[in-house]
């Protein structure tokens, strides 16, 4: 062994060497090694380094437990940060973040939504979309947002948007940018388009709507649509541009009539109850 290597090993051994005084909360065990007062496991162990008996420091059981808990805490923090980011990217309208299964009544529609989330792997694998249709206030958007939040909380990227927003965004783009923007929806395993049918229906707008729907179709990823249109209106559209859009949607999405009663009425009723209570009416 060269002298240099020998020096290096010697200096390494002396660095590793943990011969020291017993500190507070420690004691010297019968084997001559320092132990932790709390968990009574060693803080030192004896090893042979380059033929020399050396005492090196080690981690006692309680410190090991602390480190594991700290690691878990950091992982949990990281998970929550990721979910927060996913939510910020996927749901821009803040009020939708409040629409979750845990604040929903356990209605038939909500149970269907829960099963959709529970069976997500199959839903995604088989590209099972939903067309949630029904009257204003029937809870379609609420159900869609519950699904979005539940999947986001599992770390699955979901984008919930509507065509008015999409068209506004696209308005300022060049055609190449528009293409990239539409393609970017494929980064979301689930795309939810809320309130189909309220966007303007100029020739340009309908072309873009079709482009988004068709791109989704090609990506083979699930799509959820909510709409106030009736299923009859979608099956018998008045013109060709609408017919193209609706037939693609009906190919991808299973229609589900949402008739859960007016949720907003439900909210105002409970507000009435609250104010009666508060004001003792
Ligand atoms: Zn300990």
């Amino acid at each position: 062994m060269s002298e240099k290597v020998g020096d290096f090993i010697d200096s390494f051994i002396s660095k590793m060497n943990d011969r020291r005084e017993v500190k507070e909360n420690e004691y010297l065990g019968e084997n001559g090694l320092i132990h932790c007062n709390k968990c009574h496991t060693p803080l030192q162990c004896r090893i042979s380094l380059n033929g020399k008996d050396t005492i090196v420091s080690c981690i006692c059981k309680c410190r090991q437990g602390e480190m594991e808990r700290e690691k878990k805490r950091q992982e949990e923090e990281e998970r929550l940060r990721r979910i927060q980011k996913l939510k910020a990217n996927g749901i821009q309208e803040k009020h939708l973040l409040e629409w979750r299964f845990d604040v929903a009544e356990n209605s038939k529609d909500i149970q269907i939504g829960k099963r959709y989330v529970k069976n997500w792997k199959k839903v995604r694998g088989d590209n099972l979309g939903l067309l949630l249709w029904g009257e204003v206030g029937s809870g379609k958007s609420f159900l869609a947002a519950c699904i979005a939040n539940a999947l986001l909380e599992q770390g699955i990227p979901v984008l919930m948007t509507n065509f008015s927003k999409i068209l506004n965004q696209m308005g300022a783009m060049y055609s190449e940018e528009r293409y990239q923007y539409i393609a970017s929806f494929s980064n979301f395993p689930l795309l939810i388009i809320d309130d189909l049918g309220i966007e303007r229906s100029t020739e340009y707008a309908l072309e873009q709507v079709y482009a988004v729907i068709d791109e989704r179709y090609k990506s083979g990823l699930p799509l959820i649509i909510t709409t106030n249109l009736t299923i009859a209106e979608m099956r018998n559209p008045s013109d060709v541009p609408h017919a193209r859009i609706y037939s693609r949607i009906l190919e991808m999405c299973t229609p589900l009539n949402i008739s859960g009663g007016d949720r907003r009425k439900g909210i105002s009723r409970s507000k009435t109850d609250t104010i009666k209570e508060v004001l003792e009416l």
Side-chain angles (χ1 to χ4, degrees):
M1 198 187 307
S2 80
E3 213 172 292
K4 257 192 179 168
V5 174
D7 286 352
F8 174 76
I9 290 174
D10 282 346
S11 98
F12 177 72
I13 291 172
S14 76
K15 261 185 209 149
M16 292 290 288
N17 199 325
D18 191 42
R19 280 190 199 280
R20 60 177 176 81
E21 299 284 307
V22 176
K23 292 187 215 156
E24 212 187 323
N25 297 326
E26 295 176 351
Y27 64 91
L28 200 63
E30 280 172 16
N31 55 5
L33 298 175
I34 296 174
H35 282 60
C36 168
N37 231 344
K38 247 200 266 172
C39 64
H40 305 287
T41 60
L43 283 158
Q44 293 182 323
C45 62
R46 234 179 229 115
I47 56 165
S48 172
L49 277 178
N50 203 27
K52 284 181 194 164
D53 239 7
T54 313
I55 288 179
V56 295
S57 75
C58 65
I59 295 159
C60 69
K61 252 197 188 137
C62 63
R63 179 74 190 118
Q64 217 170 343
E66 263 168 45
M67 284 164 75
E68 272 160 27
R69 280 191 295 280
E70 174 62 14
K71 194 173 162 235
K72 275 206 185 114
R73 195 191 59 74
Q74 279 178 6
E75 281 169 357
E76 178 61 8
E77 218 170 66
E78 184 51 40
R79 192 184 70 86
L80 293 177
R81 240 200 312 273
R82 185 175 131 77
I83 287 171
Q84 216 168 24
K85 207 174 145 200
L86 282 179
K87 283 190 169 184
N89 284 337
I91 298 183
Q92 291 105 358
E93 278 179 54
K94 281 233 167 80
H95 73 277
L96 296 177
L97 294 168
E98 308 292 318
W99 291 359
R100 299 183 318 267
F101 285 129
D102 58 344
V103 297
E105 281 172 39
N106 205 20
S107 66
K108 185 179 108 292
D109 298 332
I110 290 294
Q111 285 171 24
I112 291 172
K114 285 180 180 170
R115 286 197 288 273
Y116 191 86
V117 170
K118 194 174 155 213
N119 294 296
W120 169 249
K121 268 195 186 140
K122 180 142 186 70
V123 162
R124 184 185 167 158
D126 291 3
N127 185 9
L128 306 174
L130 286 176
L131 171 64
L132 308 176
W133 66 281
E135 289 168 22
V136 178
S138 58
K140 307 173 297 285
S141 303
F142 180 79
L143 176 57
C146 286
I147 292 173
N149 281 305
L151 289 172
L152 284 163
E153 271 148 35
Q154 292 177 26
I156 295 157
V158 177
L159 177 64
M160 183 163 180
T161 183
N162 58 57
F163 274 121
S164 303
K165 253 199 208 122
I166 293 174
L167 291 167
N168 271 343
Q169 291 269 331
M170 285 170 120
M173 292 177 186
Y174 298 110
S175 62
E176 181 57 26
E177 277 180 300
R178 276 207 291 271
Y179 176 77
Q180 280 170 4
Y181 176 61
I182 292 174
S184 74
F185 295 157
S186 303
N187 297 329
F188 297 90
L190 180 63
L191 174 64
I192 300 176
I193 293 187
D194 199 20
D195 252 341
L196 175 83
I198 60 151
E199 63 284 341
R200 53 187 194 274
S201 57
T202 60
E203 193 185 328
Y204 165 81
L206 291 175
E207 232 170 70
Q208 304 312 319
V209 169
Y210 180 75
V212 170
I213 299 291
D214 191 51
E215 182 66 25
R216 195 66 187 172
Y217 179 82
K218 286 180 196 153
S219 74
L221 292 166
L223 168 71
I224 293 180
I225 297 257
T226 79
T227 185
N228 297 332
L229 297 164
T230 66
I231 198 70
E233 282 172 303
M234 291 187 72
R235 285 195 174 130
N236 306 292
S238 53
D239 53 50
V240 175
H242 282 100
R244 253 173 21 130
I245 294 166
Y246 296 163
S247 93
R248 265 281 185 264
I249 289 175
L250 288 166
E251 250 182 283
M252 300 159 73
C253 306
T254 303
L256 188 67
N257 181 216
I258 303 299
S259 54
D262 196 327
R263 205 186 144 263
R264 280 178 254 193
K265 272 189 205 152
I267 287 175
S268 59
R269 247 200 310 279
S270 77
K271 273 201 174 163
T272 311
D273 288 346
T274 314
I275 202 155
K276 273 184 181 164
E277 240 178 70
V278 171
L279 303 180
E280 296 177 25
L281 296 174

